[in-house]
Amino acid sequence: MIRGLLALALLGALSGCTPSDDGPVVAKTSTVPSAKAGFGGPEPAPVEATVVDEAMFRTPSQNIACALTPSEVRCDIVRKSWKPPAKPADCELDWGNGLVVTGGKAIFTCAGDTLVGTSDTTLAYGEAMRAGSVRCDSSDAGLTCKDEKTGHGFSLASSRYTLF
């Protein structure tokens, strides 16, 4: 419960930073993208999502850690080969170590903390989790999280990211 409240507070604090560009962002990749959802491939058949009130989880590789609430999701990444866009002037903390869906759009994190190491729950490849209108799908190609109410979200992997 306390961890969940902490996650809500952390997600709320993120809404103070604004991206430097309101348009969609697609990272350059050094590898050939796989045919997986969120990275330009065909959409796989939807899987039944585990429904939760809120959750903190990690991917099986333990490279991505997330805090999921009914209206927001923040995911931090440990190892990545891509670089985020330039840090906006209004971000006085660490920039671009993850992505967040908040306030109806997907943006980079501006945070002085990390979610890495905060959860023992693993969202296995091929599984999905939902809280409210926010859903995250885990695959061996990366993690895709989306606010299904707004259609905005992100795909995140060590070699690339996409904001939509």
Side-chain angles (χ1 to χ4, degrees), residues 6 15 20 23 26 29 45 54 85 104 123 125 134 148-150 152 162:
L6 177 60
S15 61
S20 57
V26 178
T29 179
E54 60 183 39
L123 185 60
Y125 299 140
V134 183
E148 295 183 322
K149 197 182 291 183
T150 66
H152 293 287
T162 304

Side-chain angles (χ1 to χ4, degrees), residues 125-164:
Y125 299 140
E127 292 185 357
M129 190 177 292
R130 172 195 308 277
S133 63
V134 183
R135 176 184 170 124
C136 291
D137 288 81
S138 177
S139 79
D140 58 358
L143 183 73
T144 299
C145 295
K146 175 180 176 181
D147 184 332
E148 295 183 322
K149 197 182 291 183
T150 66
H152 293 287
F154 59 81
S155 292
L156 184 60
S158 60
S159 62
R160 60 197 174 278
Y161 69 88
T162 304
L163 300 176
F164 54 88

Side-chain angles (χ1 to χ4, degrees), residues 58-70:
R58 64 184 179 205
T59 57
S61 67
Q62 299 186 28
N63 193 39
I64 301 172
C66 302
L68 174 67
T69 73

Side-chain angles (χ1 to χ4, degrees), residues 23-35:
V25 177
V26 178
K28 295 178 183 173
T29 179
S30 58
T31 61
V32 177
S34 68

